[in-house]
Amino acid sequence: MFDVNKIRSDFPILSRQVNGQSLVYFDNAATSQTPTQVIDVIIDYYTRLNSNIHRGVHKLSQEATEAYEAARKTIQQHFNALYAHEIILTAGTTEGINLIASGYTSLLNPGDELIISALEHHSNIVPWQMLCDRTGAQLKVIPMTAMGTLDMEVFDSLLNDKTRLVFVNHVSNALGTVNPIEEIIAKAHASGAEVLIDGAQACPHIKPDLQVLNADYYVTSAHKLCGPTGVGMLYGKEALLNKLPPYQGGGEMIATVTFEKTTYADLPHKFEAGTPNIAGGIAFGAALEYMNRVGFENIAAYEAQLLDYATNGLKNIPGLKIYGESPNKTAVISFNVEGIHPYDIGSILDQMGIAVRTGHHCAQPIMDFYEIPGTIRASFSFYNTFEEIDRLEAGIRRAVAMLQ
Ligand SMILES: *Cc1c(COP(=O)(O)O)cnc(C)c1O
């Protein structure tokens, strides 16, 4: 069944020493670690296949193209998209959101309304503000509650016939809150709006079924789910992607080019200008295969135990306050200790070989809501252990004793 020691042996970095101690890696919400099975795919690509895809008649190019398109198919199957060409390979979540926001420039009119949530990562805020500046559309915000959940009654009141797009994250990276995206998607559709889901933080923990969810767009990054950095996917419904103009012009995205007129390639190539991160795309597929072998049900069950264990342990530390207490959350704990700056605790934990994140976690509006400069965030993965959480708790206690 689920053998964490066996899983840990797949991740070479986990046996590293940091500051003279064995590494405790609790910054999984920023990026996850990479198993040998994925590292080997990258090495194999540059050792055996390296060549440009979709272009050559020669053998290497054909094999590289096949591997890249097989990865797209793996991604399609993992997310249960209807067609492989609805999967656009991008540089990551940020690029996927910018691609959509850029595409809507010619589709919006002044007075159109867009709905965002108070729990968003900056990459799901700023591109939409830029879109509003270009088009005269207006941004409305679903507020958050003290528990770190969305105020869905206000959402209902924001929706109207001027609403064109709604964008929320599936899971908040700062607090771990799992948002009710099924309800958000259904209500937005009933009012004629389209929905983009930022799945960057959900996909390491949850296997979304895009046809059941009925999301119009869904974006994620490979590096949060055991894959490499600089690659990700944008899912879009075929009919919607066909309506959107291309994002970048260049090679690979065209059907014909003359100086009079250029016609664009079909999906997915219309949105994939230039030479992509080929090794990264192939490794993205391998990462999903690896995680599916571990099993998302096993991952969810084990991480829920880690979260419970850590929450109960940390709650006993005097003066420690946890931010984000949604009953439905992933294995993330954002916290502060009264009277101590998060950075000071983070630095002392680093001295002990414990990697956590401190700061606003690219979600400043959440910090403003709580009127704090930032938090310490410990985010867990299926390769973490209860002993590591014991070390975190002891480390925080020691840091607090040193700083008070
Ligand atoms: C990490 C993250 C992003 C940004 O992902 P990139 O890989 O940096 O583009 C966006 N949204 C959420 C919720 C995230 O966790």
Side-chain angles (χ1 to χ4, degrees):
M1 277 287 294
F2 188 84
D3 178 351
V4 72
N5 288 322
K6 187 163 170 294
I7 284 169
R8 287 177 70 80
S9 69
D10 291 335
F11 292 82
I13 208 168
L14 296 179
S15 47
R16 236 203 91 156
Q17 299 278 305
V18 170
N19 292 325
Q21 317 251 8
S22 59
L23 168 68
V24 173
Y25 187 76
F26 284 158
D27 195 16
N28 294 287
T31 202
S32 57
Q33 294 305 344
T34 318
T36 309
Q37 289 85 339
V38 173
I39 298 170
D40 284 350
V41 164
I42 297 168
I43 294 172
D44 180 63
Y45 174 79
Y46 285 108
T47 310
R48 244 175 19 87
L49 293 180
N50 188 26
S51 59
N52 212 329
I53 53 170
H54 298 139
R55 290 173 199 184
V57 288
H58 64 80
K59 190 72 182 165
L60 291 192
S61 175
Q62 286 168 14
E63 287 184 5
T65 305
E66 272 163 28
Y68 195 67
E69 292 306 319
R72 192 190 309 274
K73 193 92 195 150
T74 302
I75 298 165
Q76 175 210 350
Q77 282 163 356
H78 175 82
F79 290 100
N80 195 28
L82 190 55
Y83 306 113
H85 60 252
E86 292 177 319
I87 304 294
I88 312 299
L89 287 158
T90 63
T93 302
T94 303
E95 189 183 55
I97 295 170
N98 277 281
L99 188 159
I100 299 298
S102 158
Y104 273 79
T105 308
S106 56
L107 303 179
L108 295 185
N109 296 305
D112 283 346
E113 293 182 4
L114 313 178
I115 298 180
I116 194 170
S117 101
L119 293 177
E120 298 311 305
H121 187 285
H122 294 163
S123 69
N124 202 23
I125 302 175
V126 183
W128 305 114
Q129 289 173 325
M130 292 161 67
L131 174 64
C132 287
D133 287 345
R134 291 193 298 271
T135 60
Q138 274 197 349
L139 207 54
K140 308 269 167 169
V141 184
I142 314 169
M144 59 181 282
T145 68
M147 267 173 98
T149 57
L150 292 180
D151 188 332
M152 293 297 285
E153 275 178 31
V154 179
F155 174 60
D156 292 343
S157 73
L158 290 176
L159 272 175
N160 64 57
D161 57 10
K162 284 185 279 181
T163 311
R164 296 290 309 278
L165 267 170
V166 177
F167 22 90
V168 293
N169 55 34
H170 193 167
V171 170
S172 154
N173 64 300
L175 304 178
T177 311
V178 181
N179 288 315
I181 60 166
E182 296 80 358
E183 182 186 344
I184 290 171
I185 292 167
K187 286 182 167 166
H189 284 170
S191 130
E194 284 145 16
V195 184
L196 177 140
I197 303 294
D198 170 356
Q201 206 57 233
C203 293
H205 314 287
I206 298 167
K207 184 171 177 170
D209 183 322
L210 294 178
Q211 290 185 67
V212 169
L213 280 174
N214 199 18
D216 300 300
Y217 306 104
Y218 194 100
V219 290
T220 199
S221 298
H223 71 94
K224 302 248 169 113
L225 28 84
C226 299
T229 56
V231 63
M233 73 123 194
L234 157 67
Y235 158 83
K237 285 183 183 159
E238 181 188 52
L240 293 174
L241 291 179
N242 276 331
K243 268 197 284 184
L244 281 187
Y247 177 46
Q248 294 182 314
E252 194 67 23
M253 53 76 73
I254 51 88
T256 58
V257 176
T258 66
F259 284 110
E260 287 68 43
K261 184 172 171 53
T262 290
T263 57
Y264 304 126
D266 290 335
L267 295 174
H269 307 295
K270 175 175 136 186
F271 292 109
E272 295 182 349
T275 302
N277 179 351
I278 304 169
I282 298 169
F284 184 4
L288 290 176
E289 281 168 356
Y290 176 83
M291 292 195 70
N292 279 297
R293 279 198 298 275
V294 177
F296 278 83
E297 277 167 25
N298 292 333
I299 290 172
Y302 181 68
E303 288 179 351
Q305 289 177 34
L306 290 178
L307 178 64
D308 253 16
Y309 186 77
T311 305
N312 291 331
L314 265 54
K315 263 206 235 146
N316 290 328
I317 298 175
L320 187 143
K321 176 170 167 48
I322 293 177
Y323 299 92
E325 294 177 297
S326 168
N328 194 5
K329 70 182 267 192
T330 58
V332 170
I333 302 186
S334 244
F335 64 93
N336 272 329
V337 180
E338 211 183 334
I340 303 179
H341 198 279
Y343 179 82
D344 294 335
I345 294 186
S347 305
I348 293 176
L349 290 174
D350 177 55
Q351 287 308 306
M352 304 175 192
I354 303 170
V356 293
R357 179 138 301 219
T358 64
H360 55 57
H361 318 296
C362 298
Q364 265 178 10
I366 298 179
M367 305 303 135
D368 292 346
F369 174 86
Y370 289 120
E371 298 178 346
I372 51 177
T375 67
I376 303 154
R377 181 186 68 187
S379 51
F380 311 119
S381 177
F382 59 91
Y383 44 70
N384 289 128
T385 65
F386 297 98
E387 295 75 41
E388 288 180 312
I389 291 171
D390 290 340
R391 267 182 67 193
L392 173 68
E393 187 188 334
I396 298 167
R397 285 181 187 277
R398 213 167 117 207
V400 170
M402 286 164 70
L403 291 165
Q404 264 174 355

